[in-house]
Amino acid sequence: MSRNPSMDILKHITINEDSRVPKYRQVVESIIENISNGKLKIDQKIPSINALSEEFYLSRDTVEKAYNILKDRKIITSVKGKGFYITRTKLISKVNILFLLNKLSSYKMQTYNSFIDTIKGNSHTDLHVYHCDETLFLNLLRKNAQAYDYYVIMPHFTTPGLRHVSFTDAVIAALEEIPKQKLLIMDNNLIKLSGNYAEVYQDFEADIYQALREGLEHIRKYQKIIFCYPENAVYPYPKRILHGFRRFCVEFKIEFEVINEIYEDTVLRAGDLFITIVEADLVNLVKQIRDTEMHLGQDIGVISYNETPLKDLLGITTISTDFSQMGRTAAEMILDKRVEKIKNPFHFIYRESL
């Protein structure tokens, strides 16, 4: 009787009993290696879970776990009643990345697009947005556990009271399950994990303080700063931004006020300088200034948090991290296999609104 062709593949799979690499991971890596060197080809049938477990004296659960990882990465597929087949070969040599974004804003996408442009054809990157929702975030990690070579994560979460937190106990526990050499934390580094892992981060308190100091000469021309900090936003902002602002005003003896939003009838006075974070507040403020006889950048100044192309077009002064640089740095760290903690540049960008 002729031997089943899929069983011939067994001679190419190696399991090292003395290795500290888990057996299921050895199965995954062995199959990937055989695809890379051409011994396994697309649409080729591979041994069943039972056949592989019997050949190498592995538990059925071990082989099933390996096959599930390969299925999650779309390297193999199961055909009911027929078995498992190779379905992808062109991406095996690439790095597979799960990119978890907390919200779909223009500046977050600027980071993502810069990341993709830098890493180019060297990776296959899956983007998921978890909307600052802890449950959705944990489900995405659980669903994609061990399926990727790298996990690039921006940790920002919303509490039931619409406050910002960098992590929860459940988030820390889930992140601890990711091998540290596969983890890259972006944007927010106020999260403490064991081991050595990569970071590209903002220092929210120090960044706004230093940026406002840079613009001090222009800011002193105004009598009072009104900081519009959204206290209860759907996508909340770190409280450290507010701390850095207050520190600046107190140190340089500048009168200030903190409000939640720009209302439709916000009181505007010549000599006011507004700092906004939310796009809607910026739009509402500029519209109200234009509806008065006062002039933007002369009677009333405006600074906006987070740089976007539209603010550049409108001549709005901004204080912002370099989102493109953040994406480039993260991609370069993965390409170079570097594990570092790098603070991202933050800038005061002077324009005619100030």
Side-chain angles (χ1 to χ4, degrees), residues 157-190:
F157 300 93
T158 306
T159 68
L162 296 181
R163 299 297 178 92
H164 177 278
V165 292
S166 300
F167 59 88
T168 64
D169 291 343
V171 167
I172 292 292
L175 292 178
E176 289 286 12
E177 293 295 317
I178 300 174
K180 297 306 181 295
Q181 72 273 15
K182 295 185 173 186
L183 182 62
L184 195 157
I185 299 294
M186 292 186 72
D187 197 42
N188 180 15
N189 76 327
L190 197 63

Side-chain angles (χ1 to χ4, degrees), residues 301-342:
V302 174
I303 299 174
S304 184
Y305 194 86
N306 289 331
E307 171 73 351
T308 66
L310 184 58
K311 293 172 187 176
D312 183 9
L313 182 66
L314 296 176
I316 303 296
T317 297
T318 60
I319 48 177
S320 177
T321 199
D322 188 330
F323 291 102
S324 292
Q325 181 61 54
M326 186 182 292
R328 284 193 298 273
T329 301
E332 288 166 359
M333 288 172 71
I334 289 176
L335 289 172
D336 298 337
K337 297 183 179 179
R338 290 167 18 225
V339 179
E340 301 175 25
K341 289 177 169 52
I342 299 176

Side-chain angles (χ1 to χ4, degrees), residues 66-229:
Y67 277 24
N68 283 337
I69 291 173
L70 291 167
K71 284 197 294 183
D72 286 341
R73 291 173 61 171
K74 297 180 174 59
I75 293 169
I76 67 172
T77 190
S78 57
V79 179
K80 191 173 182 180
K82 292 187 176 182
F84 296 92
Y85 293 83
I86 302 295
T87 53
R88 191 183 75 181
T89 58
K90 63 180 180 179
L91 294 176
I92 296 305
S93 61
K94 298 184 179 182
V95 175
N96 292 284
I97 300 169
L98 179 65
F99 200 113
L100 293 183
L101 207 58
N102 64 298
K103 64 179 179 180
L104 205 59
S105 64
S106 61
Y107 45 90
K108 297 281 183 173
M109 287 306 298
Q110 189 176 343
T111 298
Y112 174 74
N113 291 333
S114 176
F115 177 88
I116 294 299
D117 185 58
T118 302
I119 211 160
K120 295 190 179 349
N122 295 293
S123 80
H124 173 72
T125 303
D126 290 330
L127 173 65
H128 290 275
V129 183
Y130 64 92
H131 303 287
C132 296
D133 184 278
E134 178 194 31
T135 301
L136 179 54
F137 175 84
L138 293 173
N139 285 340
L140 284 168
L141 276 191
R142 194 175 300 114
K143 178 181 177 183
N144 294 288
Q146 300 165 339
Y148 289 87
D149 300 306
Y150 282 94
Y151 295 78
V152 179
I153 295 170
M154 288 190 181
H156 294 277
F157 300 93
T158 306
T159 68
L162 296 181
R163 299 297 178 92
H164 177 278
V165 292
S166 300
F167 59 88
T168 64
D169 291 343
V171 167
I172 292 292
L175 292 178
E176 289 286 12
E177 293 295 317
I178 300 174
K180 297 306 181 295
Q181 72 273 15
K182 295 185 173 186
L183 182 62
L184 195 157
I185 299 294
M186 292 186 72
D187 197 42
N188 180 15
N189 76 327
L190 197 63
I191 184 167
K192 301 303 178 184
L193 302 171
S194 63
N196 190 25
Y197 54 94
E199 289 181 340
V200 187
Y201 64 93
Q202 296 189 63
D203 185 337
F204 290 96
E205 181 173 343
D207 283 344
I208 188 172
Y209 170 82
Q210 292 295 343
L212 292 175
R213 278 197 63 169
E214 188 178 338
L216 183 60
E217 177 187 351
H218 304 285
I219 292 171
R220 281 203 183 278
K221 297 175 182 178
Y222 296 89
Q223 296 171 13
K224 182 178 182 179
I225 304 179
I226 298 91
F227 186 31
C228 186
Y229 177 82

